[in-house]
Amino acid sequence: MAQQKDFDLALSTKWFTKNPPSFPLPSMKALGPCTSTYTWTYEQDFSDTTKILTCAVLFTDTKAISKVRVTWKHSDPLGTVVAEQKHYPPPVSPSEEDLDKAHKLYGENIAAWAEETVGITVGDGECWTLIQRALADLAATYRQYGKEPPLLSQGRTHGHPILTLTAPSVGSNSGLLQLADVRRGDILELKSAHFHFITEEAPKRVPG
């Protein structure tokens, strides 16, 4: 993957002086879904206050991270502002061995957590809130027992994306989930889907 180029930070808008800052920036949101965090620090001297804003943005589809550090004087933000950017590439895609290990470690517990909440409204009732809570609860339990926790949700991305499927017509992709080795405990997000349930009846015995 190509190295991320520096973003247009639009410093002339003084977004960094607002509380909270207007972050992520439009140039970042244009790359896709993302989440962000920030921290403030201050340095006081006899004549002025130096303000330092450190921001980080995580692109939820790729897990790439960019960090921005902005420093300026309170008395003259535009005349003194200095900005730095650092970019961190997405993590290496997990191997089949890694995915199999993760399934054995987390899959059954994720599925069981979801089954235990059937009939219960979790959070605001949205589907992504359900899995977000599931992963957070399980992560806390795994840490309690000294085990590696599952990846927490980032926006509407839950773990490592391993499959994207677009069906051009009804029934055209029948059986592909099985072929893609989607397993119990894997998390599926469906943009549009039609479910057709088939029940099989036991054959009737005809008296002879």
Side-chain angles (χ1 to χ4, degrees):
M1 177 176 288
Q3 177 67 31
Q4 173 62 52
K5 297 180 180 179
D6 282 351
F7 292 99
D8 176 8
L9 297 183
L11 296 175
S12 62
T13 64
K14 296 196 293 186
W15 60 267
F16 50 89
T17 64
K18 300 177 181 178
N19 191 9
S22 302
F23 192 87
L25 301 167
S27 57
M28 297 172 176
K29 293 180 179 179
L31 291 185
C34 55
T35 60
S36 65
T37 185
Y38 67 90
T39 58
W40 296 94
T41 56
Y42 302 87
E43 296 177 1
Q44 183 75 47
D45 57 30
F46 292 106
S47 60
D48 208 341
T49 301
T50 299
K51 297 186 175 183
I52 303 170
L53 173 65
T54 303
C55 304
V57 57
L58 170 68
F59 297 94
T60 55
D61 286 346
T62 65
K63 299 293 191 301
I65 296 174
S66 291
K67 294 184 178 180
V68 178
R69 187 175 188 265
V70 186
T71 305
W72 72 97
K73 296 287 187 181
H74 177 72
S75 60
D76 183 15
L78 288 182
T80 60
V81 64
V82 176
E84 304 170 79
Q85 301 185 48
K86 289 185 178 180
H87 310 289
Y88 303 87
V92 177
S93 298
S95 65
E96 289 188 16
E97 182 180 351
D98 293 332
L99 292 174
D100 187 62
K101 178 182 176 181
H103 168 70
K104 292 177 180 177
L105 189 58
Y106 308 125
E108 180 58 36
N109 289 333
I110 291 173
W113 194 100
E115 289 172 343
E116 289 176 2
T117 62
V118 172
I120 301 173
T121 300
V122 177
D124 58 7
E126 294 288 352
C127 55
W128 52 81
T129 305
L130 173 72
I131 191 58
Q132 183 181 46
R133 293 283 182 87
L135 294 177
D137 284 357
L138 291 172
T141 301
Y142 277 71
R143 291 192 189 96
Q144 182 180 353
Y145 288 94
K147 296 183 178 181
E148 183 180 355
L151 288 175
L152 297 180
S153 300
Q154 301 293 336
R156 291 174 64 178
T157 299
H158 317 283
H160 289 285
I162 60 173
L163 174 68
T164 300
L165 187 64
T166 301
S169 61
V170 175
S172 62
N173 285 329
S174 177
L176 282 189
L177 291 182
Q178 288 82 359
L179 291 175
D181 198 22
V182 173
R183 306 181 187 182
R184 176 175 166 82
D186 288 351
I187 300 160
L188 304 180
E189 180 175 354
L190 306 176
K191 184 177 180 180
S192 178
H194 173 77
F195 294 93
H196 182 57
F197 296 94
I198 300 176
T199 58
E200 295 185 3
E201 296 183 0
K204 296 180 180 180
R205 296 185 63 182
V206 180

